[in-house]
Amino acid sequence: MECRRAQKERTKRVVASGVTTAQPVAFASNGLEGRYATALYDLAAEQRQLDAVLDEGAALARLIDESAPLRTVLEDRRLDILVSRKAVLAVLEAQGFGQTLRNFVGVVADNRRLPVLRRILAALDALAVSRRGEVVAEVASAYPLTPEQRAQVQARLAEAGYSRINIRERVDSSLLGGLVVRVGAKLYDASLKTRLFRLHYAMKGAA
């Protein structure tokens, strides 16, 4: 497995040496998730709670991603809606989420939309980024980024013309080493996994 020093070196080169593919990520205000997200965003702004609600939305999204039992409650359509609603709201209250977000999730439950709650939260995040005029860079790495690596990524993206960048990080051990950075429709792949894949086919072609 690649050492972290080598990973740091690839961090410096990731933007310049990446491979680009088409995979757009955008906020769609006319879809179901977009309509719910817009309603929550506007309500939070009206109540002067926008920053708090956006932070809680991101926290709830992480909670859903990390909790298999919670995902089961949200996604199992066989459960009685009142049971699902009560269970989800109990979790939110126990985790200290505010009244605005809890009321919103209650409405989502009443409308039998709990299975798409995670996508609504993703749409809320995309809406906030869009209205702030920011660009999201999704960075996947085999190990958590160090502060130095994070600063290097930000610097390289700035050099590439992304002045207002919002970095979202996730760890993917299958990459083995290196980084994968997605900015809108562009994908910069400098992971060890991809390099080994290319080497494999290059060697097959030379055989």
Side-chain angles (χ1 to χ4, degrees):
M1 183 176 290
E2 213 169 44
C3 68
R4 295 198 177 200
R5 180 177 299 174
Q7 183 186 9
K8 290 181 181 180
E9 290 302 314
R10 274 193 309 282
T11 302
K12 297 178 182 179
R13 302 191 300 269
V14 62
V15 172
S17 62
V19 176
T20 302
T21 60
Q23 185 66 36
V25 178
F27 171 73
S29 60
N30 58 340
L32 172 68
E33 295 89 347
R35 292 195 297 273
Y36 274 88
T38 300
L40 177 57
Y41 186 101
D42 290 345
L43 175 63
E46 180 183 325
Q47 296 179 344
R48 300 182 183 275
Q49 297 179 7
L50 184 57
D51 289 343
V53 168
L54 292 176
D55 288 345
E56 288 189 354
L60 179 54
R62 289 192 298 271
L63 181 62
I64 294 171
D65 290 342
E66 296 167 0
S67 173
L70 179 56
R71 291 197 302 274
T72 297
V73 173
L74 293 173
E75 298 168 4
D76 193 342
R77 298 179 184 273
R78 296 170 299 178
L79 293 177
D80 181 83
I81 188 62
L82 295 179
V83 173
S84 299
R85 185 185 196 280
K86 183 176 180 180
V88 172
L89 292 181
V91 170
L92 267 60
E93 185 173 3
Q95 293 292 325
F97 287 95
Q99 190 66 50
T100 298
L101 187 64
R102 298 206 311 269
N103 288 345
F104 174 77
V105 173
V107 172
V108 171
D110 292 340
N111 292 340
R112 300 181 181 275
R113 300 299 187 186
L114 284 179
V116 298
L117 176 60
R118 180 62 181 85
R119 298 206 299 271
I120 292 171
L121 296 172
L124 176 66
D125 179 67
L127 173 60
V129 168
S130 174
R131 293 197 178 180
R132 287 193 298 256
E134 294 178 346
V135 175
V136 172
E138 299 177 351
V139 180
S141 56
Y143 305 97
L145 295 181
T146 65
E148 179 186 358
Q149 290 170 332
R150 191 174 297 110
Q152 290 170 352
V153 171
Q154 290 175 329
R156 300 309 173 197
L157 289 169
E159 290 174 4
Y162 299 107
S163 58
R164 299 188 64 181
I165 199 76
N166 190 329
I167 294 180
R168 307 291 172 81
E169 302 173 26
R170 66 182 178 86
V171 174
D172 183 353
S173 59
S174 72
L175 297 177
L176 303 180
L179 296 173
V180 176
V181 180
R182 186 188 300 281
V183 183
K186 295 182 178 180
L187 176 68
Y188 304 97
D189 191 338
S191 66
L192 178 59
K193 178 180 179 181
T194 296
R195 293 189 178 193
L196 291 174
F197 180 80
R198 292 175 188 159
L199 177 62
H200 170 74
Y201 275 91
M203 293 177 66
K204 284 186 63 176

